[in-house]
């Protein structure tokens, strides 16, 4: 069994097309996990971590894939995550359970829109990270500009640990600014990692870069500051230790350089993962919802989190992170959400879509359980007291399609597929249109739903009719409004009586409830029923029936009847009270606004900007890099359907774009 301090649970995350999967493939090759390199778009069998047919077809990562490899005496549990924003939940749930991460940035494009999203996710879960500036062989590569963008756009404190030996097509290797050696990567696949003296032409620049590195690091080490003031040589061990501590405390982001596709710089990155990223025992203390501290001790009671599910022909595969205790085949654990006993059958360690059976797993491990029925986000415990780990953040869907099977006999298969996808993916929602009775699927974007429609046809042999995309509008209020609602019904038996007063006001949160009831004018046992009634009223607005958001409800007072009052009466009164108050609070419609980033050749810049403006887009700015420009704009989602086709026709197929949800904003009339 590998000691806990030699385990690294890491994820690789980045903007789409930054080279995450290519980097993962090299990591597996150099650690001996695979014996031949396959490319993402090489025409062969495809990269190891992109095993789904849709991933090979589209040339992108759709689902996060886990594997385990060994670099010297360090075990690396690796999760390769998607870069496309439509599959951001895969990044979210991976970062929820990982100890560290590698953020990949393109040496040409630098910090892109999805880089910002990934950075936000890493900060949400306080995940220490290393940055790897990839594609140093590309025309226009400039790592120093990327480092500055990390500082300006991500508010990080990046520390460049290497200096490039050449760039673009003359990129040959990197200079380690700590050991002051040049690294070259020879052999057919860069497997021969050769260290040589620094070229004379770069020695002065490398020494200057090293001085900057030590000066920046001295802020985190008094011992280093003293050595520098006294003119002493700082030992490598002190530099490594200082970088590690500052990285773990999220004060610093080490930055390395390379080209995964050209097989350069990956071995240095593997060393950095072992040196600077946390082991399970280095991470901040994990707390349960009940504020119980969890420590990665194999002898403590078991607490584990089911963070990802896939439903397969043999049953459910449940990816699980163990935070404390030990889990063995044949154990019986408890699901803290349901309170039910869960027998543990087979435990497997994943290598993309392949499985290696293991007998047991300890705190700090990431493994998968076979045949366990649970929901994503459930906590497993070995016994009393049952505790729960905090759920992950799940963004709301922004686009909806109506689907109908082309053949009536395929209805059952379609229903089975949709229910499976909804269980596996928290951002994929299933509902029924109350007016037409049509089946509605909702997701994070056109590609997100397109992939599921492809899977319905491939995996379930079912063809469907697809309706026009619909935007997920919301309703909210523009001002404060009071309510004073009295429910009084008399029937043959006991009646219904409930009286609630208070006010509503706009808020930045989706929904806030506050009770200011004093003196028992509403009994305490009826207050939760009032909140439930308010929440029910939020499901459908007064304007167009869209869900309501951004409301704070303050329950101030009311009255009750000792016989006729009940939970049902107060729930119903609260529902009606909020409906009336919303009508008085100047309600209006919100529409989803998307952050759009377009990369286009310079000759089409004006045309692309004009088209975005015609779509009610707000241009945020553009950046010119040699032969092309990057435009950022905020555009209503309703105006972005079919944009990929329009953009290709405007730019002779040479421009690309990415799009992610930015915010809800008042819809234009």
């Amino acid at each position: 069994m590998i000691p806990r301090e030699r385990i690294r649970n890491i994820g690789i995350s980045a903007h789409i097309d930054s080279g995450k999967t290519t980097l993962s493939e090299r990591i597996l090759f150099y650690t001996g996990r695979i014996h031949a390199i396959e490319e993402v778009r090489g025409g062969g069998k495809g990269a190891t971590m992109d095993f789904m047919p849709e991933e090979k077809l589209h040339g992108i990562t759709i689902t996060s894939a886990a594997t385990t490899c060994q670099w010297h005496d360090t075990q690396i549990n690796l999760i390769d995550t998607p870069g496309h924003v439509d599959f951001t939940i895969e990044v979210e749930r991976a970062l929820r359970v990982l100890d560290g991460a590698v953020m990949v940035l393109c040496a040409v494009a630098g910090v892109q829109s999805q880089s910002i999203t990934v950075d936000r996710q890493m900060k949400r879960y306080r995940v220490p990270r290393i940055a790897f500036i990839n594609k140093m062989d590309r025309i226009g590569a400039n790592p120093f500009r990327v480092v500055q963008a990390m500082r300006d756009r991500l508010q990080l404190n990046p520390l460049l640990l290497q200096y490039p030996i050449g760039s673009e097509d003359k990129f040959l290797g990197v200079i380690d600014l700590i050991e002051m050696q040049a690294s070259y990567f020879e052999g057919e696949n860069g497997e021969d990692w050769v260290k040589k003296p620094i070229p004379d032409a770069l020695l002065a620049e490398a020494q200057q870069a090293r001085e900057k590195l030590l000066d920046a690091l001295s802020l985190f080490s008094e011992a280093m500051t003293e050595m520098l003031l006294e003119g002493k040589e700082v030992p490598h061990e002190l530099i490594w230790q200082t970088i590690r501590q500052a990285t773990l405390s999220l004060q610093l982001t080490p930055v390395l350089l390379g080209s995964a596709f050209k097989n350069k710089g990956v071995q240095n990155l593997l060393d950095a993962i072992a040196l600077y990223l946390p082991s399970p025992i280095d991470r901040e203390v994990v707390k349960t919802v009940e504020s119980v501290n969890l420590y990665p001790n194999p002898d403590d009671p078991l607490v584990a989190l089911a963070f990802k599910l896939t439903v397969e022909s043999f049953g459910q595969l449940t990816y699980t992170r163990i935070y404390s205790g030990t889990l063995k085949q044949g154990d019986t654990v408890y699901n803290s959400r349901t309170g039910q006993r869960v027998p543990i059958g087979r435990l497997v360690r994943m290598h993309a879509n392949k499985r290696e059976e293991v007998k047991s797993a300890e705190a700090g491990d990431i493994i998968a359980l076979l045949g366990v029925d649970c929901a994503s986000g459930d906590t497993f415990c070995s016994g009393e007291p049952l505790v729960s780990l905090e759920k992950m953040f799940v963004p709301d869907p922004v686009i909806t399609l109506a689907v109908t099977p082309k053949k009536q006999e395929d209805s059952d298969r379609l229903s089975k597929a949709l229910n499976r996808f909804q269980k596996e993916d928290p951002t994929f929602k299933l509902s029924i249109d109350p007016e037409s009775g049509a089946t509605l699927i909702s997701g994070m974007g056109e590609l997100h739903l397109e992939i599921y429609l492809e899977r319905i046809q491939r995996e379930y042999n079912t063809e469907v009719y697809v309706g026009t995309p619909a935007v997920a509008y919301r309703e909210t209020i523009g001002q404060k409004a009071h309510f004073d609602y009295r429910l009084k019904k008399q029937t043959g038996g006991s009646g219904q009586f409930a009286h609630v007063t208070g006010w509503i006001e706009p808020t930045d949160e989706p929904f806030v409830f506050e009770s200011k009831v004093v003196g028992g004018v509403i009994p305490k046992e009826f207050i939760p029923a009032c909140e439930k009634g308010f929440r029910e009223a939020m499901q459908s607005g007064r304007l167009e029936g869209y869900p309501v958001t951004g409301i704070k409800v303050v329950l101030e007072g009311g009255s009750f009847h000792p016989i006729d009052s009940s939970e049902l009466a107060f729930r119903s009164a609260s529902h009606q009270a909020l409906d009336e108050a919303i009508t008085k609070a100047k309600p209006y419609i919100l529409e989803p606004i998307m952050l759009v980033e377009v990369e286009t050749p310079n000759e089409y810049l004006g045309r692309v900007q004009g088209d975005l403006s015609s779509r009610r887009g707000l241009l945020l700015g553009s950046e010119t890099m040699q032969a092309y420009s990057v435009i950022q704009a905020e555009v209503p989602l309703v105006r972005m359907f079919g944009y990929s086709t329009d953009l290709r026709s405007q730019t002779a197929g040479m421009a690309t774009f990415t799009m992610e949800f930015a915010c809800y904003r008042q819809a234009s009339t």
Side-chain angles (χ1 to χ4, degrees), residues 503-541:
W503 71 86
I504 62 172
E505 60 189 24
T507 179
D508 292 332
E509 298 295 317
F511 174 75
V512 177
F513 172 73
E514 182 181 347
S515 173
K516 291 192 173 183
V517 175
V518 293
V521 292
I522 299 177
K524 284 184 179 179
E525 60 267 27
F526 294 148
I527 301 295
C530 293
E531 181 179 356
K532 193 168 185 180
F534 292 133
R535 286 186 181 274
E536 288 173 351
M538 299 276 289
Q539 300 302 309
S540 179

Side-chain angles (χ1 to χ4, degrees), residues 301-317:
L302 175 80
V303 179
L305 179 70
F307 67 92
K308 173 182 163 76
L309 315 176
T310 57
V311 181
E312 303 184 355
S313 56
F314 62 83
Q316 183 170 297
L317 183 69

Side-chain angles (χ1 to χ4, degrees), residues 48 231 320 365 547:
T48 305
T320 306
D365 271 335

